[in-house]
Amino acid sequence: MTVEDRNAIALALTGDQGAYTVLITRYKHMVHTVTSRVLRNEMDAQEATQDVFVKAFRQLAEFQGAGKFSTWLYSIAYRTAISALGRRKEDTLSLDAVPPRSEFSMDAPMPAHDRTAILEQALATLAPEDAAIVTMFYLEEMSVQEIVTVTGIGASNVKVKLHRSRKKLFDA
């Protein structure tokens, strides 16, 4: 945990709302990434992101500081998104919602927005939980052990999910 996180947490626990705002600003993109990967609906992801920060604030005194604050927060985000997904009555991903694959050449440089769109399309082919795990591992650069902490899934299962997801993405 960074010194900045430690200080912001300590101040937030004394009631300093500005200190908690610093934590929100620092981690809002990371939290939104995991909620949007799982929920695949922008409005639901935004709502879940807000819920995550409310839950984290209420549970902040329970944070022990032994691990990274980001891992603890990511765990809350993942569980919140999975719970919201379970409450949803209809499947959030229809085949019509997946945009067609873009044609591109390996010889020509690809603009960043095209790479992002292709990555989003690829991740949309995975189950929400698998897409979240792939995002954590490859985009957020979390270790398998950190993913275990976040998801509550065993290390061997995380590795299997990563392997199967890679296989599915490459076979597509």
Side-chain angles (χ1 to χ4, degrees):
M1 179 167 51
T2 66
V3 173
E4 294 86 10
D5 284 353
R6 191 181 325 259
N7 291 339
I9 292 166
L11 288 171
L13 287 171
T14 66
D16 184 338
Q17 292 179 355
Y20 193 65
T21 302
V22 168
L23 293 170
I24 292 171
T25 302
R26 186 172 296 147
Y27 294 107
K28 67 183 173 187
H29 177 72
M30 179 193 76
V31 169
H32 185 265
T33 298
V34 74
T35 59
S36 64
R37 286 283 181 257
V38 172
L39 295 170
R40 296 181 175 162
N41 176 294
E42 185 58 29
M43 289 179 62
D44 291 346
Q46 287 178 1
E47 184 177 330
T49 298
Q50 291 175 357
D51 290 346
V52 167
F53 285 109
V54 169
K55 288 177 184 179
F57 183 74
R58 289 180 180 155
Q59 299 171 10
L60 195 56
E62 297 171 24
F63 176 65
Q64 301 297 313
K68 291 174 160 180
F69 177 74
S70 60
T71 303
W72 179 78
L73 187 59
Y74 223 137
S75 179
I76 294 171
Y78 180 79
R79 287 192 307 266
T80 300
I82 293 296
S83 292
L85 186 64
R87 288 189 305 268
R88 193 181 292 163
K89 291 186 168 80
E90 61 183 345
D91 187 10
T92 61
L93 178 66
S94 71
L95 292 177
D96 297 331
V98 179
R101 290 181 181 253
S102 301
E103 294 296 323
F104 62 92
S105 166
M106 294 302 282
D107 298 328
M110 186 183 304
H113 67 277
D114 287 348
R115 285 193 306 265
T116 301
I118 290 169
L119 178 61
E120 292 296 330
Q121 285 176 255
L123 288 172
T125 66
L126 299 175
E129 291 178 357
D130 295 344
I133 289 171
V134 168
T135 298
M136 287 182 235
F137 189 76
Y138 289 106
L139 301 178
E140 299 295 330
E141 299 180 355
M142 295 176 72
S143 69
V144 169
Q145 190 54 48
E146 287 173 318
I147 296 171
V148 167
T149 302
V150 167
T151 62
I153 299 171
S156 60
N157 200 0
V158 168
K159 291 176 186 176
V160 166
K161 285 181 174 289
L162 285 169
H163 174 76
R164 288 181 181 162
S165 296
R166 280 191 301 266
K167 186 170 178 6
K168 182 173 183 179
L169 290 172
F170 286 118
D171 289 346

